[in-house]
Amino acid sequence: MSLTGPTPRRPRSLAVAAAGVLMLLTACSGSGTQQAAGETGAKSSSSSPSATSASSTAAASADLLPGMPPPLSPTDVYAADKPNNLSDEVKNDAPRVYVPNSKDDTVSVIDQATMQVIATYPTGHEPQHVVPSYDLKTLYVIADLNFGAFTLIDPKTGNAGATTPIDDPYNLYFTPDGKYGIVVAEDHKRLDWYDPHSWQKQDSTEVPDCAGVDHIDFTANGKVLLATCEFANRVAVVDVQTHKLINLITLPNRPDGMPQDVKLSPDGKTFYVADMKADGVYTIDGEGKAVTGFIPTGKGTHGLYVDRTSTRLFVTNRLEGSISVIDLATKKVATKWQIPGGGSPDMGNLSADGKLFWVSGRYDSCVYVISTDDGHLVKKIPVGKGPHGLTVWPQPGRYSLGHTGIMR
């Protein structure tokens, strides 16, 4: 993500060292059930809705990435993310918001009840995102400069632990089967595949024509991932099982486009890709083959968040201080919420009950708390400089795909 507007990102050290091998505490033992693929199976006139749904779910499950938890719904990949649907693993975790301050090398910790900063932790250099582990037991603060580092946070207490080196981690994701942690090594133009237990590197996917690789989401069956190329106006498509690059999609509206966040639709049929130069959201088919449309939203289009009803997509427009709300049924902007006095909404996530949207104010050293009912600003909370990929915790869902909490 550009820290200074729609121009090539921050100067970064090119001397990123060889992999720092970690022995971190997390364990990826995801349990539960879910994830949807395309709905299949003919309906007989005598089939009950539940029988049809079960049949469709079974059909979707048959095509999943091996080892991936089967779907809860054939038509909603976010079926596990409903209001306050907390797993046993997280239901007693401290309700906090963790804000990485990229310019301060710190994380601000906000109490969700009082909306006050209650702690500030030092991290590695230029923290970018706070990422929940696949098994929901650990939060990683990802800092990507000066060789890179993870700082661990215990979500049960909100306390920070050790900071440990790892090679060039701009962002972190987990494969839907929990087998790999994918470090987005942006400077190296690589996706590095790690064992998420030992943090030994297993493989790398070179993406030399994908400058600025940064955000990822997965197809409904978990077999393919799409990664945006911020400085190449492209989206890279990678086979999750072979780790091979299988497609590069060039975005059509502007040759200098800067794709940012990417998010799968609830029905698994469409990827949405925010482009902060094109000032809107591209749609790509759910298999990652081609661009299918474009939705204008606002200047500096940036982050994408599906609400807990799976009917709306919140889109942050960083350069005009607004949030566009896309109706997922019509693929049109239903309304736009303006932050009073302007602002720079960037990355965030929803509260567990889905009533509040917490989003970092990248250029304004603050966090905005916005009502998802009508978009009014509930609170503006001062934090450190350059707040970026904050995580609201705990989140509903059974396992994490990474980033600021892409849950299934």
Side-chain angles (χ1 to χ4, degrees), residues 346-369:
D346 191 285
M347 288 289 163
N349 215 331
L350 300 174
S351 57
D353 62 11
K355 295 181 179 179
L356 297 175
F357 180 37
W358 297 72
V359 59
S360 59
R362 191 69 175 274
Y363 308 140
D364 296 281
S365 301
C366 69
V367 168
Y368 311 107
V369 187

Side-chain angles (χ1 to χ4, degrees), residues 15-355:
V16 180
V21 176
L22 301 180
M23 293 296 289
L24 301 180
L25 300 178
T26 186
C28 295
S29 57
S31 60
T33 54
Q34 197 244 333
Q35 185 69 337
E39 187 171 359
T40 61
K43 299 178 182 178
S44 70
S45 59
S46 60
S47 297
S48 67
S50 59
T52 302
S53 177
S55 175
S56 298
T57 302
S61 299
D63 188 43
L64 295 179
L65 176 72
M68 176 180 164
L72 291 181
S73 164
T75 57
D76 186 1
V77 301
Y78 303 102
D81 302 356
K82 300 313 174 192
N84 294 316
N85 185 29
L86 300 178
S87 72
D88 289 344
E89 183 58 46
V90 306
K91 65 183 180 183
N92 294 319
D93 286 2
R96 303 283 186 262
V97 177
Y98 301 91
V99 187
N101 302 306
S102 297
K103 292 293 188 181
D104 279 354
D105 298 346
T106 61
V107 166
S108 299
V109 183
I110 300 172
D111 183 300
Q112 290 190 40
T114 64
M115 297 187 181
Q116 301 292 320
V117 174
I118 59 172
T120 302
Y121 300 136
T123 68
H125 190 31
E126 198 171 280
Q128 301 285 2
H129 304 94
V130 178
V131 178
S133 63
Y134 182 86
D135 64 2
L136 316 180
K137 294 180 178 178
T138 305
L139 301 177
Y140 298 96
V141 183
I142 308 302
D144 65 339
L145 291 191
N146 290 358
F147 312 116
F150 287 173
T151 299
L152 278 62
I153 293 176
D154 179 349
K156 297 200 178 302
T157 63
N159 295 329
T163 293
T164 312
I166 196 163
D167 192 16
D168 191 24
Y170 176 71
N171 212 335
L172 174 64
Y173 292 83
F174 296 91
T175 54
D177 58 0
K179 186 175 181 180
Y180 295 100
I182 304 173
V183 169
V184 179
E186 183 190 19
D187 267 5
H188 296 327
K189 298 180 183 177
R190 283 194 329 238
L191 301 178
D192 289 337
W193 305 71
Y194 285 83
D195 181 322
H197 303 277
S198 66
W199 290 99
Q200 297 283 340
K201 190 188 294 184
Q202 306 296 305
D203 199 3
S204 291
T205 302
E206 304 282 349
V207 285
D209 297 321
C210 183
V213 57
D214 51 19
H215 288 233
I216 288 175
D217 204 355
F218 298 84
T219 55
N221 64 10
K223 292 182 175 179
V224 172
L225 69 81
L226 270 63
T228 53
C229 313
E230 180 176 357
F231 303 131
N233 189 37
R234 294 189 178 107
V235 174
V237 184
V238 175
D239 187 302
V240 172
Q241 292 175 285
T242 65
H243 309 170
K244 302 298 185 185
L245 180 67
I246 55 177
N247 195 11
L248 274 172
I249 301 171
T250 298
L251 302 176
N253 285 19
R254 290 183 58 132
D256 61 345
M258 296 181 71
Q260 308 288 316
D261 207 4
V262 53
K263 199 62 53 74
L264 185 65
S265 65
D267 63 8
K269 296 179 179 178
T270 304
F271 283 99
Y272 292 86
V273 178
D275 189 320
M276 65 182 296
K277 277 288 188 71
D279 298 334
V281 177
Y282 290 100
T283 57
I284 293 175
D285 69 275
E287 296 181 350
K289 294 182 177 178
V291 174
T292 58
F294 181 78
I295 306 168
T297 59
K299 191 174 181 181
T301 308
H302 207 81
L304 304 172
Y305 304 89
V306 176
D307 82 345
R308 302 223 182 279
T309 68
S310 297
T311 61
R312 300 182 296 175
L313 182 70
F314 302 133
V315 183
T316 61
N317 302 308
R318 193 170 77 184
L319 300 181
E320 67 172 42
S322 69
I323 312 293
S324 295
V325 181
I326 292 177
D327 181 327
L328 289 168
T330 63
K331 293 185 173 66
K332 295 180 179 178
V333 174
T335 189
K336 184 183 286 189
W337 300 329
Q338 188 69 48
I339 296 173
S344 51
D346 191 285
M347 288 289 163
N349 215 331
L350 300 174
S351 57
D353 62 11
K355 295 181 179 179

